[in-house]
Amino acid sequence: MIAVDSSVLIDLIEGGVDADAAASVLRGALHEGPVVICDVVLAEVCTALKHGTEVLPHLEEAGIRYLPTEARAALRAGEMQRRHRQRGGRRHRTVPDFLVGAHALLQCQALITRDAGFFRDYFKGLKVIVPQGA
């Protein structure tokens, strides 16, 4: 199972400069197995789009399913954010970033994202997939 970060979906949906790369990596992931989004990603995509509340049926039609964040992932996210702050991390990293990473690490086998550095740093062992051109 592969998780997708909101930035990749927004690229795809809005048709931005990285849309082709996002589409290509998502097609490949869908051929490997289930592709999912967590609560945070669903909320972020909804926030970013004018008609965001209508996005879930379209994602499901494309083969991307919603997989809620489990309690153990939420706890890991909180722990990782605390470590981030202890390391002197800037406050622009908020709980949602850590929830996406913990969800992918504990409930999936990989994460498709444009923010590879952050996720590799805080979620050791998580396979990170970066769309080409991102």
Side-chain angles (χ1 to χ4, degrees):
M1 189 170 348
I2 299 174
V4 183
D5 197 3
S6 56
S7 59
V8 175
L9 291 175
I10 292 167
D11 286 344
L12 179 66
I13 294 166
E14 290 185 339
V17 295
D18 295 320
D20 289 341
S24 177
V25 76
L26 281 169
R27 272 192 303 273
L30 286 163
H31 284 292
E32 289 184 31
V35 175
V36 300
I37 57 171
C38 69
D39 326 65
V40 171
V41 171
L42 182 58
E44 288 176 340
V45 170
C46 179
T47 299
L49 302 174
K50 184 176 180 181
H51 299 289
T53 56
E54 301 168 8
V55 76
L56 187 58
H58 295 291
L59 291 174
E60 290 173 341
E61 185 176 309
I64 300 170
R65 297 182 307 148
Y66 169 67
L67 179 65
T69 303
E70 295 176 355
R72 65 189 179 112
L75 291 169
R76 174 70 66 93
E79 174 69 19
M80 297 315 293
Q81 186 181 38
R82 186 168 45 78
R83 287 184 189 174
H84 172 72
R85 296 248 174 101
Q86 288 173 341
R87 288 171 63 181
R90 298 190 334 225
R91 294 211 180 252
H92 80 276
R93 287 288 174 195
T94 59
V95 171
D97 295 322
F98 293 95
L99 283 166
V100 170
H103 175 266
L105 178 68
L106 297 177
Q107 295 179 240
C108 303
Q109 287 75 44
L111 174 65
I112 301 169
T113 184
R114 287 191 287 125
D115 197 2
F118 166 74
F119 289 107
R120 286 183 178 134
D121 185 27
Y122 280 92
F123 299 95
K124 305 289 188 219
L126 174 62
K127 179 181 177 184
V128 176
I129 302 166
V130 180
Q132 297 294 350

